[in-house]
Every structure is written in structure tokens, then in C-alpha cells.
Amino acid sequence: DADVTQTPRNRITKTGKRIMLECSQTKGHDRMYWYRQDPGLGLRLIYYSFDVKDINKGEISDGYSVSRQAQAKFSLSLESAIPNQTALYFCATSDFRRGRAADTQYFGPGTRLTVL
Amino acid sequence: GESVGLHLPTLSVQEGDNSIINCAYSNSASDYFIWYKQESGKGPQFIIDIRSNMDKRQGQRVTVLLNKTVKHLSLQIAATQPGDSAVYFCAESTGNMLTFGGGTRLMVKP
């Protein structure tokens, strides 16, 4: 979805390096998410943010940190990358409104990260 | 060692046939369900959704069925085409967050 962009699309790095993955959206959504996908597995939530001042840990936040610089930008950092953080990383956004029983998320194209 | 789930369940269908992809969800309090399609090298794309007060919803060539009694969701694709080849994920929501299933790979044979 071109409304959600991720940079870089591919990154190879070494163990111990600090890495930042960036996500931008033009959908005007308040909510943003970072997921990790490993081969053959579903998506696992790392962090999520319901607005600029609201950041929450997901299922697998250890070893990661995030920053919500603006409504449209949500970055994910690996403080000290390790090989088992090699995965596909997806950013997503949603526009949940009070009274609506729906939280459809729209995904970016993903960043393939390899940690050697 | 090998990661659990490395080998996705795979459904292989002939082009033109109908496909049925199944999903068992875990939370009886989930009130909203979504099917996503993920093509190779791309992010998941929304296909169709259904609320818990419905048992069937139809889209273009796709139908989602919800059986709350047994916590089962299915995606039916009519007249499957090569472009339908992808991994399909179901997701359930309690209103705030989505929980994703492990996915099923659909392969369409010409």
C-alpha cells in the first residue's frame, strides 16, 4: 500500500550494530504498529502507538525500541542487533474510531533485515 | 534447530476451481475478523472482514463464513486464478488489537 512506506526495504548489518527502521504514512491514521514476521510464521507485534504520546509494548518488545516522531512517522530501533532478529519487519496503521467495532490495519511493504 | 511453523499448511487447487481456506480462532470475545492476503515480497493486504454479529459476508469472488460456536472462520475464493496464489492470514480483534493466525499458502495450478 503506497500510503504506508518503509525505509530501508532491505538491510544487512552486523551483530551489535544499532539499526533504525522507519515508517511513514499518509493515511492520516492515529494508530501505528510494528510487527515482525519470521519464515512460515504469522505476524508478531513488537510495539504499537495509539497516538503520538501513547506507546505500548507488544508481544515481543525485548531488544527493540520505538519513537513516534509525529502522527505520520513511527520508527523502530534495534539497540544492538543480534542474528535472531533477522526477519521481515512490517509497519501498519489503523483508524480505529470509538463506537466502531473494527480495527482494520493497513501494512507497508516491509523491511527485510539480516543480522550477520 | 528448525523453527516451529517453518512449513506453512498448503492448499493446492486447480485454476478455475473454488478454494476454501480455514482458520480456527482462540478468543470467544473477539468481535471482528479479517482476512489478509500476502504475496511474495509484499506486505499483507486486506481482503474482507466480518463482524461477530454476522455469519456470512460476500465480496468480489470471496466469501467469509464465521461459525462462533466452534470458533471457526473460512475464506472461500470462487474460480481461483493464478493471481490468487499467496499466503492467507486470518486475524481476530477484540476492538483494540489484532491477533494473527499462522497463515495458509494457496498454490494455484494452471
Side-chain angles (χ1 to χ4, degrees):
Chain A
D1 189 328
D3 297 325
V4 184
T5 57
Q6 292 183 233
T7 57
R9 293 296 313 279
N10 288 283
R11 181 72 183 267
I12 299 174
T13 191
K14 295 182 178 180
T15 297
K17 294 290 187 182
R18 186 176 188 272
I19 297 297
M20 179 180 286
L21 309 182
E22 298 186 355
C23 177
S24 294
Q25 53 114 346
T26 58
K27 299 181 83 67
H29 290 171
D30 287 327
R31 297 186 169 191
M32 298 186 74
Y33 310 79
W34 275 105
Y35 290 90
R36 167 180 173 156
Q37 185 177 44
D38 294 278
L41 297 179
L43 294 155
R44 292 186 291 167
L45 184 64
I46 305 172
Y47 269 95
Y48 61 102
S49 170
F50 284 174
D51 64 42
V52 174
K53 296 181 181 179
D54 180 21
I55 292 178
N56 306 277
K57 292 183 178 181
E59 178 187 354
I60 53 165
S61 59
D62 287 349
Y64 301 94
S65 63
V66 290
S67 174
R68 185 81 185 267
Q69 299 96 324
Q71 186 201 41
K73 296 183 182 296
F74 192 36
S75 59
L76 175 73
S77 294
L78 284 67
E79 301 303 326
S80 178
I82 55 177
N84 78 1
Q85 290 178 312
T86 293
L88 266 174
Y89 290 85
F90 289 102
C91 174
T93 74
S94 69
D95 186 27
F96 182 84
R97 303 279 177 85
R98 186 175 295 279
R100 280 179 50 187
D103 189 21
T104 302
Q105 294 181 19
Y106 298 90
F107 287 82
T111 294
R112 182 175 297 278
L113 177 66
T114 302
V115 183
L116 302 176
Chain B
E2 185 180 47
S3 299
V4 173
L6 237 176
H7 301 290
L8 281 174
T10 298
L11 175 66
S12 185
V13 301
Q14 202 70 40
E15 181 178 357
D17 287 351
N18 296 334
S19 303
I20 300 177
I21 301 171
N22 296 304
C23 176
Y25 64 93
S26 56
N27 188 347
S28 57
S30 293
D31 55 11
Y32 179 61
F33 304 88
I34 309 173
W35 279 100
Y36 284 92
K37 172 186 180 183
Q38 186 177 19
E39 297 175 276
S40 181
K42 297 183 179 180
Q45 293 177 285
F46 171 87
I47 302 174
I48 191 169
D49 58 3
I50 188 168
R51 299 185 181 188
S52 60
N53 61 354
M54 303 170 68
D55 53 21
K56 180 179 180 179
R57 190 169 188 214
Q58 289 185 292
Q60 186 177 14
R61 278 202 311 120
V62 294
T63 301
V64 55
L65 299 178
L66 175 62
N67 185 331
K68 294 182 288 294
T69 302
V70 295
K71 292 190 286 187
H72 183 268
L73 195 66
S74 69
L75 176 71
Q76 301 179 1
I77 304 173
T80 311
Q81 302 170 358
D84 295 327
S85 294
V87 175
Y88 290 81
F89 294 95
C90 66
E92 58 183 301
S93 171
T94 56
N96 277 328
M97 304 303 300
L98 288 180
T99 301
F100 289 85
T104 297
R105 185 181 305 280
L106 176 65
M107 298 177 62
V108 182
K109 297 178 289 187

